[in-house]
Amino acid sequence: MAPYGTPTPDGTSSLQPPRPNYNHRFAAPSTSNMPYIDDQESKPVGSYPNTGIDVLIVGTGLAGLTAAIECVRKGHNVRVLERNNDINTAGDMYFMGLSATRFFKHWPEMAKEFHDISLHNCWIETYKHDGSPMIEPRKVADRLRDAGLDPNTPPGTFQMRPLIYQMYVNQVKRLGVKIQFGKKVVDYIEDPARGKAGCVTDAGENFEADVVIAADGVGSKSQKLVGGQVRAMKSGRAMWRAAFPIEYLDKDPKVKEFFRMQKGESGDEPIVRTWLGPGTYGMTLTRPETMIWIMNHDVTGSEKESWSNTIPAEEVLANMDKGVGPKPWAPIFKDLIKLTPPNTIVNFELFWRNPQPKWASPGGLVVNIGDAAHSFLPASGNGATQAIEDAICLASCLQIGGRSNISQSVKAHVRMRFIRNACAQRLGFSNAELLQDTDWTKVKLDPRLAQPKLPSWIFNHDPEKYAYQVYDKVVKSMEAGVKLEDMCDEGSGIPPNYPPGYKYSPWKIEDIMEDMRNGRTVVLGAGNWD
């Protein structure tokens, strides 16, 4: 048998185990589509009756894969289209917030895998970009305590992208979700009169479903139908990123010693080193088997939004000191870059999209999630988190509303998600300012000022529980013509899932960037952003 992901002649995955029976419940039958969601309650596959909703998902990023498994769990019928010939598991690391991992309680196999691949007993230390040590190594747990947080329930964790994606691939394989590879979607359509939506590939193929979830990134062609920006804007920034076997450090004992793991109670323990400089920042992660480094920089001309866009180390070394002032990057960091094996360094271009609430088509049968709806700066630590939250919320809303109320469910989902994401996007710019324009005098007195904000309104959120709590009230607010920005006003009964006290008003990323270029502090707005 061919390995999972190998396309068959019809473009589907070659490994299709028998589909489980989703038409029974583990709990007692209920006439309500809105079961109480307890914080500790697990509702695995089979806990919800089949809704009869045919869901077509475009894209196999974190948003698309999460939507696939959660839609299965909620009783929907799922198919997935992917433009590439396999699920891309390449990459290095990113931050996954607690609000995006709570749902693993419903997926015991994933929960175990996630625990096994997560960093435990991790340390962190901070340098200036030139190599000057600023904050000595400390356990992440201790820094969390200093911030008044519980180390046993941290706001999130750094994760290896290849390991996380493989975890998702394993779960998709267990469910037998039908994935058709090599299907590049170039157009989206809907027919509200028939209650159907669909998409068209570059080969002229037509696919149809009750609802189409566009999870195909910042360049999604769905923007034309939903009425948002057709294309995301170039940010002028990019990330050099690399992950490779730690054995490559053996070639230079000095680099190997500097980037060693930290001695701790359990022996050698993983450590994150942050490097903060004028208009730039970098990060390294030393794990038992892997060395990772990333660096934020101005575009150089070779960047692309692709994990396969590799460049030689010489290009990084020729450009990394540009724009950082009189003090160049630390020689030890440059030596690390020199040790990076060929075809490993990715120059990943960063895009952004102004916050706009048009995530759904006029008929509410095509909906954007993840980067297709909103893009994040890496400094936000929120891109992966909000993509996963989107998928969890949408699958829940479709289950609550049922097959006769798909448009209503989609539009309710957008109302629940938009302001939260706009706030998280804005927070990303504030964090970028902190990382790229650090006040070292203040940091010496309070090291917390050198770490990005990870506020409680983000990590304490439970997107599934929230959907079941507020769905009816959100629908009533739509029917009453309440404006999106007024939906959570006092007396509405709808608690905000964004900074308490904040009142949304439209803003543009260009204006924030202009302020940053002119040395003006990013203003987050009213409310408690901490």
Side-chain angles (χ1 to χ4, degrees), residues 183-448:
K183 307 297 181 184
K184 183 179 179 181
V185 173
V186 296
D187 199 12
Y188 287 80
I189 54 177
E190 71 173 349
D191 186 348
R194 294 176 52 238
K196 294 292 182 182
C199 60
V200 182
T201 69
D202 59 351
E205 301 166 288
N206 288 272
F207 294 87
E208 189 175 80
D210 296 321
V211 60
V212 176
I213 301 175
D216 46 350
V218 293
S220 176
K221 302 302 182 183
S222 61
Q223 292 294 327
K224 179 181 177 182
L225 178 61
V226 303
Q229 292 173 252
V230 175
R231 292 191 62 82
M233 296 178 291
K234 293 178 178 289
S235 69
R237 302 290 288 179
M239 297 291 291
W240 291 312
R241 342 183 46 121
F244 53 92
I246 202 163
E247 288 78 15
Y248 279 87
L249 301 191
D250 294 341
K251 298 178 180 180
D252 189 329
K254 184 173 63 174
V255 175
K256 181 178 181 179
E257 171 62 20
F258 185 93
F259 289 101
R260 70 188 185 281
M261 294 177 68
Q262 184 70 26
K263 294 291 185 184
E265 296 174 1
S266 62
D268 288 339
E269 297 175 340
I271 181 167
V272 173
R273 296 177 173 92
T274 57
W275 307 70
L276 310 181
T280 185
Y281 63 89
M283 188 177 297
T284 65
L285 168 60
T286 310
R287 291 175 58 107
E289 296 103 16
T290 312
M291 184 71 219
I292 303 163
W293 65 266
I294 64 174
M295 186 182 294
N296 184 271
H297 65 94
D298 286 330
V299 294
T300 59
S302 65
E303 59 283 331
K304 293 180 182 177
E305 193 203 5
S306 169
W307 288 104
S308 60
N309 179 44
T310 59
I311 61 170
E314 290 74 17
E315 181 176 329
V316 178
L317 296 168
N319 288 281
M320 61 189 294
D321 287 333
K322 295 179 180 178
V324 298
K327 294 184 178 181
W329 271 90
I332 196 70
F333 205 130
K334 293 179 178 179
D335 290 340
L336 173 65
I337 293 170
K338 292 174 185 176
L339 292 180
T340 306
N343 303 315
T344 300
I345 303 172
V346 174
N347 193 10
F348 200 95
E349 187 171 13
L350 302 178
F351 290 83
W352 58 43
R353 174 176 288 118
N354 280 321
Q356 49 88 17
K358 294 179 180 179
W359 296 3
S361 57
L365 302 181
V366 175
V367 58
N368 295 337
I369 64 172
D371 283 350
H374 44 74
S375 54
F376 283 87
L377 293 178
S380 70
N382 254 300
T385 299
Q386 296 307 319
I388 293 171
E389 283 190 22
D390 283 352
I392 295 169
C393 178
L394 180 57
S396 297
C397 286
L398 290 171
Q399 191 275 328
I400 296 168
R403 195 167 188 268
S404 60
N405 294 296
I406 292 174
S407 177
Q408 176 195 91
S409 298
V410 166
K411 293 176 180 179
H413 157 80
V414 174
R415 284 175 78 90
M416 293 179 202
R417 299 293 305 158
F418 169 68
I419 296 179
R420 175 173 174 80
N421 269 277
C423 288
Q425 285 176 292
R426 197 174 187 100
L427 182 67
F429 286 93
S430 177
N431 282 341
E433 179 184 48
L434 181 151
L435 294 172
Q436 297 170 194
D437 190 20
T438 308
D439 188 330
W440 292 110
T441 303
K442 293 181 179 179
V443 168
K444 280 288 189 182
L445 298 174
D446 186 355
R448 291 175 297 179

Side-chain angles (χ1 to χ4, degrees), residues 130-150:
D130 63 6
S132 303
M134 298 307 296
I135 304 176
E136 64 182 13
R138 296 195 67 199
K139 279 202 168 185
V140 171
D142 293 333
R143 287 181 66 160
L144 289 172
R145 288 190 190 94
D146 290 347
L149 301 173
D150 180 4

Side-chain angles (χ1 to χ4, degrees), residues 29-69:
S30 169
T31 57
S32 171
N33 282 343
M34 296 182 62
Y36 173 69
I37 300 293
D38 181 83
D39 287 337
Q40 303 302 320
E41 185 180 13
S42 174
K43 287 183 170 288
V45 171
S47 298
Y48 295 89
N50 190 292
T51 63
I53 299 175
D54 291 331
V55 179
L56 180 63
I57 300 168
V58 181
T60 58
L62 278 182
L65 290 175
T66 305
I69 65 173

Side-chain angles (χ1 to χ4, degrees), residues 504-518:
Y504 175 78
S505 60
W507 56 274
K508 292 183 178 181
I509 290 171
E510 300 97 306
D511 295 336
I512 290 181
M513 292 305 297
E514 183 65 23
D515 286 343
M516 293 177 71
R517 280 191 290 268
N518 291 309

